[in-house]
Amino acid sequence: MARRENPEINAGSMADIAFLLLIFFLVTTTMNVDSGVSKKLSEKPPPDYVPPVIKEKNIFEVNINRNNELLVENEPMQIKDIKEAALKFIDNGGGIGKPDEDGTPGSPCDYCQGERSDKSSDHPNKAIISVQSDRGTDYGVYIQVQNELLRAYSELRNRLSKQRYGISFDELEEQYKDSKKSADTKKLSEQLKLKVEDIKKAYPQIISDAEPTS
């Protein structure tokens, strides 16, 4: 009687299927990305650089301790209140702004709607927000504080953009981004770019991160 051999299983096609499934899952799978705060690091100054003298009233000090407690201008404050405090500081308009790059002397802020107190910032382009955290500060709390500060700038920019151009700054930026996608809207894109730069120059985001305390 002839011996019957067991039929072999062709595993080649199985390997191909497994490989295709692997590619499928790699392409379709989404991965969680940690959120953060967009920051542009300043360039290292030259050796002979002399930092400008900054008036104390033009610095808005924000401190977060290791217990996640907030101290703003040496006064305890809740995170929910920091946006309004920052907004008043930035928009105070109590003095003269920085000179322009072409040498034109600085001028008062004619678009500011603040109290114009001589004890607060002179001009939005001189207003510096200094944030100092502790190495034990929760990252989530730090992000919340940064977000509230950015919301203050966003509110001021939106207000001024509506006054000058009839739309919010958020909409203005969106229109500018869309106009760059087509060569047919090059002229419009240049016009929108000038408007975006105008609002950013009026309310520059000057947020400085001090070295964390230990």
Side-chain angles (χ1 to χ4, degrees):
M1 182 177 180
R3 182 180 177 183
R4 179 180 298 176
E5 296 182 359
N6 293 327
E8 294 182 359
I9 299 176
N10 184 2
S13 59
M14 295 292 290
D16 292 340
I17 294 173
F19 182 69
L20 290 173
L21 287 173
L22 177 62
I23 293 177
F24 172 78
F25 286 120
L26 287 173
V27 172
T28 58
T29 301
T30 58
M31 301 183 68
N32 292 328
V33 180
D34 292 336
S35 61
V37 178
S38 176
K39 287 283 185 179
K40 182 178 180 181
L41 300 178
S42 58
E43 297 179 358
K44 186 177 179 180
D48 58 347
Y49 173 74
V50 179
V53 177
I54 302 174
K55 296 179 182 178
E56 186 176 347
K57 68 175 185 176
N58 285 323
I59 302 177
F60 185 75
E61 294 186 356
V62 179
N63 294 280
I64 317 169
N65 66 19
R66 62 174 58 250
N67 298 320
N68 299 316
E69 295 168 334
L70 201 61
L71 203 65
V72 178
E73 296 289 88
N74 298 318
E75 295 291 337
M77 183 176 290
Q78 300 295 318
I79 293 179
K80 63 182 179 64
D81 299 321
I82 192 173
K83 186 203 78 171
E84 193 63 30
L87 193 150
K88 289 180 179 179
F89 166 77
I90 300 164
D91 201 40
N92 179 61
I96 305 298
K98 290 181 179 180
D100 290 338
E101 294 179 357
D102 60 3
T104 304
S107 58
C109 181
D110 57 2
Y111 52 85
C112 289
Q113 298 180 13
E115 298 176 353
R116 303 191 184 280
S117 168
D118 58 1
K119 296 180 180 179
S120 190
S121 73
D122 289 322
H123 194 280
N125 64 20
K126 284 187 176 181
I128 300 173
I129 297 179
S130 175
V131 181
Q132 184 173 49
S133 59
D134 187 276
R135 298 191 188 279
T137 301
D138 287 349
Y139 182 66
V141 173
Y142 171 81
I143 292 297
Q144 288 181 53
V145 171
Q146 291 281 354
N147 283 341
E148 290 302 306
L149 296 174
L150 292 175
R151 283 182 61 201
Y153 279 108
S154 178
E155 184 171 320
L156 291 170
R157 287 179 171 184
N158 281 329
R159 186 189 72 193
L160 184 61
S161 182
K162 287 180 180 178
Q163 291 174 353
R164 292 184 176 180
Y165 307 118
I167 60 173
S168 70
F169 182 70
D170 293 335
E171 293 174 307
L172 187 64
E173 274 197 314
E174 195 63 34
Q175 287 185 10
Y176 172 53
K177 291 177 183 177
D178 291 340
S179 68
K180 293 193 296 183
K181 297 176 183 178
S182 174
D184 298 333
T185 56
K186 184 176 180 180
K187 185 176 180 180
L188 175 62
S189 179
E190 288 298 321
Q191 294 173 346
L192 292 171
K193 180 182 178 181
L194 292 175
K195 292 180 180 179
V196 168
E197 290 177 346
D198 175 48
I199 301 300
K200 285 185 175 181
K201 183 180 179 181
Y203 286 111
Q205 289 182 357
I206 312 176
I207 302 178
S208 171
D209 286 309
E211 184 71 21
T213 56
S214 54

